[in-house]
Structure formats: structure tokens, C-alpha cells
């Protein structure tokens, strides 16, 4: 399905084709939590990078996080430099994909039948994870990709 997104000040707008639009993957890592999810986690969707169309590209900036081992992350976190909204992650390691932040999407998204909680090892104690029966929880990365989760749950877009 095609999804539309924007930053809060609307200087940046985008559309992209997404086969993984169900917002089921909560990442509690410190980068997601601090840059895109002050409630404790961020949710990234899966989309096709070649279909990304951006208006207001001049208002974009890119953040490359410093990792624990001192290296710079290859992931390019795009955000609006006017209002600070986190918009999407693109990583040249997987150039065909782009990961829009669910919070920046204006299109109505499907409700997830279950949730995957990843990077729980980085979750501070004050964040309640609300893990329900049927959810997947991992201290680090899940074995299942965004695409595999959609396949297993019969979600095709
Ligand atoms: Zn903005
Ligand atoms: Zn994360």
C-alpha cells in the first residue's frame, strides 16, 4: 500500500510504497528511544526505498548515531531540521529498504494483532513494556524480519 507521511511543521512530506505497514515492531534501544520515541520505544515500518518521493528535501538532515564501540552507525536517520521530527531510517547496507517511523505517517495504518518487543535489554526500568500473550520479546534483535512477520500473520499489502 502507498503510505504518506510528514513532519510536524509540514516542511517535509513523503510518500512511499510499503509491504510492511503494520506497526508491530517496538524498538527500545537508546537511539530509537531518544530520537524517535520518548515513551520508551519507536516503531519502524518497512518500505521500498526506490518508491520514496520527498517534498521539502532541503529541510532534511541526517543523524548517524555513535555506537557503543565508538564506530558510527551506517544507518542514516532522516529528520526535519526545522521541527526535529524523526522521519525515516535508511541504511546503505540494505539499500532497497527504507524504514519510516510509524509516528510520522498520516495514512491510517492497520492495527497489529501482536507486537514484537526488541532491544528490551536497553529498556530503562521506568518504561513498562506491556507484553501480552502472543507477543514476541527479545533482549536484542528478533530472528523474524518485518517481511516474515507479515507473512506469518497473513498480512499482505
Ligand atoms: Zn518539520
Ligand atoms: Zn532501535
Amino acid at each position: 500500500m502507498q503510505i504518506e507521511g510528514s513532519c510536524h511543521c509540514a516542511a517535509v512530506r513523503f510518500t512511499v510504497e510499503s509491504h510492511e505497514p503494520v506497526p508491530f515492531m517496538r524498538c527500545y534501544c537508546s537511539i530509537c528511544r531518544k530520537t524517535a520515541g520518548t515513551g520508551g520505544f519507536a516503531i519502524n515500518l518497512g518500505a521500498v526505498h526506490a518508491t520514496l518521493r520527498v517534498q521539502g528535501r532541503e529541510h532534511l538532515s541526517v543523524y548517524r548515531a555513535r555506537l557503543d564501540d565508538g564506530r558510527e552507525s551506517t544507518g542514516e536517520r532522516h529528520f526535519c531540521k526545522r521541527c526535529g521530527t524523526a522521519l525515516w531510517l535508511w541504511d546503505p547496507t540494505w539499500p532497497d529498504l527504507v524504514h519510516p517511523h510509524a509516528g510520522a505517517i498520516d495514512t491510517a495504518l492497520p492495527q497489529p494483532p501482536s507486537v514484537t518487543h526488541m532491544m528490551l535489554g536497553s529498556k530503562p526500568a521506568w518504561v513498562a513494556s506491556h507484553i501480552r500473550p502472543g507477543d514476541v520479546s527479545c533482549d536484542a534483535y528478533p530472528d523474524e524480519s518485518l517481511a516474515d512477520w507479515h507473512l506469518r500473520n497473513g498480512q499482505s499489502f
Side-chain angles (χ1 to χ4, degrees):
M1 66 187 274
Q2 174 158 295
I3 55 176
E4 297 181 13
S6 59
C7 65
H8 191 260
C9 80
V12 183
R13 297 176 171 281
F14 64 95
T15 62
V16 70
E17 192 61 37
S18 173
H19 304 300
E20 293 90 26
V22 182
F24 74 93
M25 178 88 85
R26 300 184 180 176
C27 183
Y28 298 78
C29 85
S30 65
I31 308 170
C32 288
R33 187 174 71 247
K34 294 201 175 202
T35 63
T38 182
F41 56 84
I43 299 180
N44 301 312
L45 309 175
V48 183
H49 186 244
T51 65
L52 179 65
R53 300 285 173 267
V54 183
Q55 284 182 333
R57 202 172 264 284
E58 68 273 22
H59 301 296
L60 283 175
S61 191
V62 168
Y63 174 59
R64 290 187 58 200
R66 184 72 59 184
L67 304 175
D68 287 343
D69 62 8
R71 286 178 309 129
E72 219 176 36
S73 165
T74 53
E76 299 181 0
R77 292 177 161 77
H78 291 70
F79 64 96
C80 172
K81 58 188 175 193
R82 284 182 54 178
C83 68
T85 300
L87 293 165
W88 64 81
L89 170 89
W90 179 74
D91 193 319
T93 315
W94 301 279
D96 297 344
L97 303 175
V98 63
H99 297 290
H101 287 297
I105 300 303
D106 299 311
T107 304
L109 296 175
Q111 271 212 5
S114 67
V115 167
T116 295
H117 306 263
M118 68 176 269
M119 302 299 278
L120 284 168
S122 302
K123 180 181 84 55
W126 64 267
V127 175
S129 49
H130 301 295
I131 296 167
R132 297 171 305 176
D135 286 1
V136 173
S137 20
C138 330
D139 278 347
Y141 293 96
D143 295 331
E144 193 175 47
S145 70
L146 289 166
D148 289 344
W149 183 94
H150 281 71
L151 204 61
R152 175 170 64 84
N153 286 277
Q155 309 272 327
S156 74
F157 296 89

